[in-house]
Amino acid sequence: MAAAELLEISLRSLWVAGLATLLAALPAVPLGLWLALKGGGGVFGRILLYAGLALPSVVVGLFFYLLLSRSGPLGSLGLLYTPYAMVLAEAVLAFPLIAAFVLSGARGRVEEVRLLVRSLGGKEGQVLPTLFWESRHILAAALAAGFGGAISEVGAATLVGGDIRHHTRVLTTAIVVETRKGELESALALGFILLGVALLVTALLVILERE
């Protein structure tokens, strides 16, 4: 595989996984903080959230395939077999990862933050934004988990992206293709690149966490 194509696939993988992570974080972070304020949302709420961590990627891919196919309710948008369909599917998979990390990290700080707000004369409505600020370092770990889940995904990406060369092929789907072709050297090279991208993004998040 040519170096130019490797770079193209790597950048596309980074773009798709990064956008999916940000899209998932928009509702997942507030949900995790809100559940923390509510004591974890009860046993039923935690069961639903943690069940999402085991959500099969192929099932998510199948759902979006049916939703975005020509005969599906959103088929007119023409999103199937595009990077945007991959972003949507990967965002769904990253959502429970981010929410669960935020919940686990923020839950132990709720009473501390609530006492801080009250001591400063604040109201209950100010607890959530204060908890968000006080838990900002947890967000790095949550985003790293979501990004890792998104960029390593292959089942949903194949179903809704189609692994189209120069269009929707990403590192994970390219590894599958090269392995099936018997091009193990190319597959290994892609695997090392995938690991490198994941480590680089995680390192950047850790640096931001320490700021």
Side-chain angles (χ1 to χ4, degrees):
M1 185 178 293
E5 187 171 358
L6 281 173
L7 179 61
E8 172 198 316
I9 293 172
S10 301
L11 291 176
R12 184 180 300 114
S13 299
L14 184 61
W15 178 81
V16 169
L19 186 57
T21 302
L22 291 177
L23 186 63
L26 291 176
V29 171
L31 175 63
L33 293 174
W34 182 80
L35 287 174
L37 283 177
K38 299 299 180 180
V43 175
F44 184 70
R46 291 197 298 275
I47 287 175
L48 286 178
L49 179 59
Y50 294 147
L53 299 175
L55 190 63
S57 62
V58 290
V59 174
V60 174
L62 177 61
F63 171 78
F64 277 101
Y65 179 88
L66 296 174
L67 190 67
L68 300 175
S69 63
R70 288 187 178 182
S71 58
L74 299 180
S76 60
L77 297 177
L79 292 178
L80 189 63
Y81 301 138
T82 68
Y84 299 104
M86 299 165 68
V87 167
L88 292 174
E90 291 182 12
V92 169
L93 292 168
F95 173 83
L97 288 167
I98 298 173
F101 263 79
V102 173
L103 169 59
S104 298
R107 192 177 178 188
R109 307 200 63 182
V110 171
E111 291 306 316
E112 174 188 343
V113 170
R114 184 172 277 126
L115 288 173
L116 174 64
V117 171
R118 288 175 179 174
S119 67
L120 295 175
K123 299 181 179 179
E124 182 65 23
Q126 296 174 293
V127 175
L128 183 60
T130 306
L131 181 63
F132 171 80
W133 178 253
E134 293 296 324
S135 304
R136 61 191 182 279
H137 297 308
I138 301 169
L139 301 182
L143 292 176
F147 180 82
I151 200 168
S152 62
E153 200 287 317
V154 62
T158 301
L159 282 173
V160 301
D163 187 49
I164 303 171
R165 191 177 182 187
H166 302 305
H167 185 51
T168 59
R169 181 165 292 178
V170 290
L171 287 169
T172 50
T173 59
I175 289 172
V176 173
V177 169
E178 294 301 309
T179 302
R180 287 176 177 173
K181 288 164 54 180
E183 300 290 343
L184 298 183
E185 290 185 2
S186 295
L188 283 171
L190 289 164
F192 282 120
I193 292 173
L194 179 59
L195 286 172
V197 170
L199 288 173
L200 177 61
V201 172
T202 301
L204 290 174
L205 289 172
V206 169
I207 291 172
L208 291 175
E209 178 186 13
R210 298 179 63 182
E211 292 297 329

